[in-house]
Amino acid sequence: MSIGVIATIRIQDGKGAEFEAFASELARQVRANEPGNLAYELTKSRTEPNTYKFLELYVDQDALTHHGGTDYFKAAGPKFAAVLAGRPEVEYLDGVG
């Protein structure tokens, strides 16, 4: 059964361009290197300034676990910490069809 993830990220004022640069690169690395990842897209809210959401879809729990253990995901942690305006909100979803 597939697993969906919606990660809501709020960024400090003036840090959007910096965040978009490294988050977009992270998304490219995920799509290029993780066959168990079906979708990994950075999106920006139309109504809430400085709010972004990663829309992610994995074939199964093993693929999601693998994603969290990759070197490039771990390396992104300090970059995220430097621009965040609060803790990310992460919602996990189970595929139904």
Side-chain angles (χ1 to χ4, degrees):
M1 176 182 350
S2 63
I3 297 175
V5 179
I6 300 173
T8 302
I9 313 287
R10 289 175 182 80
I11 302 302
Q12 300 167 26
D13 285 339
K15 300 285 188 175
E18 178 183 349
F19 171 74
E20 288 179 19
F22 72 75
S24 295
E25 177 57 28
L26 173 62
R28 281 190 289 277
Q29 290 179 321
V30 169
R31 289 191 299 264
N33 297 301
E34 296 179 35
N37 173 266
L38 302 172
Y40 198 92
E41 187 73 25
L42 177 64
T43 64
K44 184 175 182 179
S45 174
R46 292 182 174 185
T47 58
E48 297 178 45
N50 299 327
T51 299
Y52 295 82
K53 295 187 184 208
F54 279 105
L55 308 178
E56 309 172 31
L57 187 62
Y58 300 89
V59 295
D60 57 20
Q61 182 61 49
D62 288 342
L64 175 57
T65 301
H66 172 74
H67 167 67
T70 61
D71 289 341
Y72 47 84
F73 182 79
K74 292 177 184 177
K79 295 176 184 178
F80 277 97
V83 300
L84 288 178
R87 294 181 59 84
E89 297 170 16
V90 181
E91 181 179 6
Y92 296 94
L93 310 156
D94 291 326
V96 294

